[in-house]
Amino acid sequence: MTSVVDNPFREGLARDQAPSPCCFVLFGATGDLCARKLLPALYQLLKQGLTPQEFYVLGVARREKTDEQWRAEMREAVAEHSRDGQLDEEVWGQFAERLGYHTGNFDDDAAYARLAARLEQLDQDYGTAGNRLFYLAVGPDYFTAIPTALAKQGLFDEPGESWVRVVVEKPFGTDLASAQALSGHLRALLHERQIYRIDHYLGKETVQNILTLRFGNAIFEPLWNRRYIESVQITVAETVGMEGRRGPFYEEAGAIRDMVQNHMMQLLSLVAMEPPAAWGAESIRAEKAKVLQALQPWTPEQVAQQVVRAQYRAGFQAAEAALGYREEEGVDPGSVTETYVAMRLGLETWRWSGVPFYLRTGKRLPKRVTEIAVSFRQPPLALFRQPEDQATNTLVLRIQPDEGVSLSFLCKVPGMRMLRRQVKMDFNYGSSFGTASPEAYERLVLDAMMGDSTLFTREDEVEHAWRFVSSILDGWQAAGATQLPQYDAGTWGPEEADGLLLDNDSWRRL
Ligand code: BG6
């Protein structure tokens, strides 16, 4: 293991911010998220010497299992999902020594009493100093029961210098009322500073780079407003469908709860926020919250005019036949759950009034791509008159998979004639830095251990986003559709989405 001192991976982390000793208590230890994301992330952090020396990971789940059995399963999971694509035996050995499993039914008080005793023992054996990070990688039904039971055992107390934090996975509520109820419940047991609501998009390098690009460079700021920006388009396109297992979950969520309320609202807030007063969790989140607050709830009429939802039917994905949504396992054959949402929204703020923001997301689209495209206004005079001269300057922030930033502009074609063409200046992460970016979960898990909540969503952000999204859900309910517009799997969504575009705008071809 790399020594914590002079560790290149620690570059940029303040020395006084080294993670303190801690026990990572992972509820949902037999679940998908644990195997695919969380354990590989923790392994990677340990490999880079970023975990504290006094560190332990205790998995908690209902299934009876011994420590050895869980370790063996996690070994396979890490080998399969680690971002290096292989397991370093020496590092694994060090990691495995710090892994344990606790069997417990989430409704059983006795299991929590045993957990409390085990945590105390771990503090003594591993020097974890009573610092605990409880990670709820469980279904939302347990987001209230588990904290209640932990509090009852006194496990949220912070005696002496020790700390307790709770990471809550998504979905945080299913509408405004349930999100408020959940927040209310957690706030009765914990301080807001102890609650870490995760949105893994915030852990992506390229998403964090939005702030650097905007506030670390002087050239963009003067242009970043309604005077120079014509429109903003945010796309989160996915090729996957229900992946054979997600039907039942998705039936309840749909694209708006699964992607818009959280990931897309976060992207929107980062693009549209004002500069923060200081570089810190509270200042940054306060500015993001103001953007979401500016999204006024819509009436059912506005929902009908400004949102399009649709569902994929059978089609072809990368030349292979793909099922329609209603034929997927665990999906009601008469389902009206949307797998695609597009909308046009406006932010009534000083900076953005009158600028349309177009958002679209869908499953079973032709390409996996997440990007934010900022289109600038045309020059004031049309000196060049050919139609190709009308192309606008567009700054594209490519979030994934081909991470980078590009700016398109008009250029003279070499030669005697005065011909012009759009060209691109392109920055590409891979070729510029030559190193792989950390996984979103690595960053977020480390931040939670260090007590930095900048990249976690605050209560007010979640509520403002829900207030807006709930108005869309209400509008849809009032409309009472029994059939949604359809699009063939492997295509760019329904043609109804074109009706959202203003003037000369068009959906970007990706
Ligand atoms: C999750 C959604 O939050 O994000 C999934 O539940 C979606 O439906 C996933 O596929 C997308 O994440 P990423 O990191 O692959 O863009």
Side-chain angles (χ1 to χ4, degrees):
M1 181 168 50
T2 322
S3 130
V4 174
V5 181
D6 298 328
N7 176 349
F9 294 108
R10 289 192 43 77
E11 213 173 282
L13 298 178
R15 283 199 170 260
D16 58 355
Q17 275 191 333
S20 43
C22 124
C23 186
F24 193 103
V25 188
L26 207 174
F27 285 87
T30 51
D32 231 28
L33 187 67
C34 171
R36 284 167 184 249
K37 299 285 182 191
L38 297 173
L39 261 284
L42 288 165
Y43 161 86
Q44 202 58 244
L45 291 174
L46 182 122
K47 183 173 178 185
Q48 295 170 7
L50 293 171
T51 49
Q53 294 290 341
E54 301 82 7
F55 180 58
Y56 197 85
V57 180
L58 183 66
V60 184
R62 279 159 286 196
R63 262 173 255 167
E64 286 282 347
K65 243 182 241 304
T66 62
D67 289 345
E68 287 69 34
Q69 281 169 329
W70 190 60
R71 274 182 213 131
E73 285 168 20
M74 291 304 108
R75 187 181 195 284
E76 301 241 309
V78 173
E80 187 180 344
H81 300 291
S82 149
R83 72 175 153 93
D84 324 317
Q86 58 182 12
L87 197 70
D88 179 321
E89 289 298 344
E90 200 188 325
V91 177
W92 172 258
Q94 291 166 0
F95 190 42
E97 280 169 22
R98 296 170 164 85
L99 287 186
Y101 183 83
H102 180 81
T103 306
N105 198 317
F106 298 152
D107 305 317
D108 175 14
D109 272 348
Y112 290 93
R114 280 188 281 111
L115 175 66
R118 179 138 184 209
L119 290 176
E120 239 170 70
Q121 189 61 46
L122 287 173
D123 283 343
Q124 285 170 25
D125 298 346
Y126 290 85
T128 42
N131 295 332
R132 280 139 200 183
L133 187 83
F134 294 104
Y135 197 115
L136 307 186
V138 293
D141 293 351
Y142 290 105
F143 288 171
T144 52
I146 294 174
T148 306
L150 291 171
K152 207 162 150 190
Q153 295 297 328
L155 286 168
F156 286 166
D157 300 343
E158 296 178 312
E161 297 284 290
S162 64
W163 53 257
V164 171
R165 300 180 192 127
V166 177
V167 180
V168 187
E169 261 298 332
K170 68 180 278 253
F172 198 92
T174 53
D175 56 15
L176 177 61
S178 57
Q180 282 173 328
L182 178 55
S183 274
H185 188 91
L186 295 175
R187 289 293 296 277
L189 305 171
L190 296 151
H191 298 284
E192 175 65 22
R193 68 169 168 79
Q194 296 176 288
I195 306 172
Y196 287 68
R197 299 171 191 79
I198 211 159
D199 182 317
H200 79 279
Y201 266 55
L202 292 177
K204 292 182 191 277
E205 282 288 324
T206 40
V207 172
Q208 295 165 51
N209 188 45
I210 300 171
L211 294 179
T212 307
L213 182 100
R214 286 196 54 200
F215 304 127
N217 298 291
I219 58 165
F220 299 115
E221 184 51 24
L223 307 179
W224 212 260
N225 57 54
R226 53 188 283 278
R227 278 189 296 285
Y228 300 102
I229 291 179
E230 177 88 32
S231 67
V232 178
Q233 218 173 96
I234 304 179
T235 304
V236 183
E238 296 191 278
T239 51
V240 291
M242 292 304 110
E243 302 171 72
R245 64 196 155 90
R246 299 193 75 217
F249 156 78
Y250 202 82
E251 273 287 88
E252 301 294 316
I256 197 143
R257 290 186 172 98
D258 190 41
M259 298 299 283
V260 178
Q261 188 276 337
N262 35 58
H263 309 324
M264 296 194 86
M265 287 292 130
Q266 287 297 319
L267 295 178
L268 173 73
S269 66
L270 290 167
V271 170
M273 69 188 269
E274 295 299 315
W279 198 258
E282 291 321 313
S283 309
I284 293 175
R285 299 193 300 178
E287 296 306 335
K288 285 167 60 205
K290 284 184 208 161
V291 173
L292 300 171
Q293 189 177 16
L295 287 172
Q296 291 304 312
W298 277 340
T299 61
E301 292 70 38
Q302 284 173 304
V303 173
Q305 281 164 9
Q306 292 183 218
V307 192
V308 167
R309 56 179 164 155
Q311 213 177 46
Y312 62 83
R313 60 180 164 225
F316 287 89
Q317 192 86 49
E320 295 215 351
L323 294 178
Y325 177 67
R326 288 177 168 193
E327 294 133 34
E328 298 268 16
E329 206 176 317
V331 171
D332 178 352
S335 170
V336 286
T337 297
E338 77 290 348
T339 61
Y340 173 98
V341 184
M343 66 178 78
R344 181 187 73 238
L345 55 84
L347 289 171
E348 282 316 305
T349 64
W350 199 259
R351 186 183 285 269
W352 295 114
S353 179
V355 178
F357 284 78
Y358 300 106
L359 273 50
R360 63 176 162 166
T361 184
K363 297 273 187 205
R364 285 285 186 224
L365 300 184
K367 226 172 146 182
R368 175 172 182 254
V369 46
T370 299
E371 63 150 56
I372 300 169
V374 179
S375 295
F376 293 88
R377 294 197 188 283
Q378 302 272 338
L381 285 177
L383 291 179
F384 308 129
R385 297 189 188 283
Q386 277 77 27
E388 66 271 22
D389 296 339
Q390 300 310 311
T392 45
N393 300 124
T394 304
L395 180 71
V396 180
L397 314 183
R398 296 194 307 271
I399 307 293
Q400 63 187 23
D402 170 28
E403 290 89 354
V405 179
S406 68
L407 177 66
S408 62
F409 55 92
L410 204 61
C411 188
K412 181 185 174 307
V413 177
M416 296 304 154
R417 293 168 63 205
M418 189 58 192
L419 296 176
R420 291 161 293 271
R421 211 173 69 203
Q422 280 272 320
V423 293
K424 256 202 283 186
M425 279 199 298
D426 208 4
F427 151 71
N428 180 283
Y429 265 84
S431 52
S432 294
F433 294 117
T435 55
S437 297
E439 276 282 318
Y441 274 97
E442 289 171 36
R443 172 67 196 240
L444 295 173
V445 159
L446 180 64
D447 281 2
M449 289 199 285
M450 299 213 301
D452 182 346
S453 52
T454 311
L455 301 176
F456 293 82
T457 47
R458 209 168 62 178
E459 181 179 15
D460 50 351
E461 290 179 74
V462 174
E463 286 198 14
H464 294 317
W466 267 126
R467 184 165 295 114
F468 174 66
V469 165
S470 286
S471 75
I472 298 177
L473 290 166
D474 292 346
W476 286 349
Q477 198 174 8
T482 53
Q483 178 77 29
L484 301 186
Q486 307 273 298
Y487 59 101
D488 294 343
T491 65
W492 279 109
E495 49 190 48
E496 282 84 345
D498 294 347
L500 298 171
L501 300 163
L502 297 179
D503 310 324
N504 298 323
D505 292 338
S506 56
W507 290 111
R508 279 173 52 76
R509 273 197 248 136
L510 302 169

